[in-house]
Amino acid sequence: QVQLVESGGGSVQAGGSLRLSCTASGFSFDGTDMGWSRQAPGNERELVSTLSYDGTTYYADSVKGRFTISLDKTKNQLYLQMNSLKPEDTAVYYCAAGQGRVYWGQGTQVAVSS
């Protein structure tokens, strides 16, 4: 059964860093489109970053220059390095990947305090 599991979330102060990980089982990231989204209560789910199967990347303007998406093919893990965190980054972060059919993780909470 395909399963994506996020980890690495937590509570940090503004200016701090976190690295989120997404581990896949029964599924390979290789050859798929993948990415991270986030959602805070009362807000729409927003796309944060994507990594396409051809290696191209996308970052939302709000995180550009601060976040980095990467894939470790050997470990079959997708990462989101988050630096210079701001309170407005507070949200539940989800990883997703697929080709045609999209698989989602359960989410991991990130809380940034001032």
Side-chain angles (χ1 to χ4, degrees):
Q1 184 174 348
V2 174
Q3 188 172 23
L4 303 182
V5 179
E6 300 96 335
S7 62
S11 299
V12 298
Q13 291 187 327
S17 298
L18 286 172
R19 188 177 75 163
L20 305 183
S21 299
C22 179
T23 302
S25 60
F27 175 84
S28 177
F29 285 115
D30 191 24
T32 73
D33 295 325
M34 63 211 83
W36 294 87
S37 63
R38 65 187 183 186
Q39 187 169 27
N43 292 352
E44 297 180 347
R45 181 172 296 191
E46 62 177 340
L47 187 63
V48 175
S49 180
T50 63
L51 175 60
S52 298
Y53 73 96
D54 63 357
T56 60
T57 58
Y58 159 85
Y59 296 95
D61 288 342
S62 59
V63 307
K64 193 173 299 182
R66 300 188 297 119
F67 291 11
T68 303
I69 189 171
S70 62
L71 173 67
D72 187 329
K73 293 182 179 180
T74 301
K75 296 181 179 180
N76 200 30
Q77 288 187 325
L78 180 70
Y79 303 104
L80 184 68
Q81 178 67 46
M82 306 185 296
N83 298 327
S84 301
L85 284 163
K86 305 174 180 179
E88 50 262 45
D89 294 319
T90 296
V92 177
Y93 284 71
Y94 302 88
C95 68
Q99 186 175 3
R101 180 175 181 177
V102 177
Y103 298 96
W104 292 85
Q106 84 289 349
T108 186
Q109 176 69 243
V110 172
V112 184
S113 63
S114 60

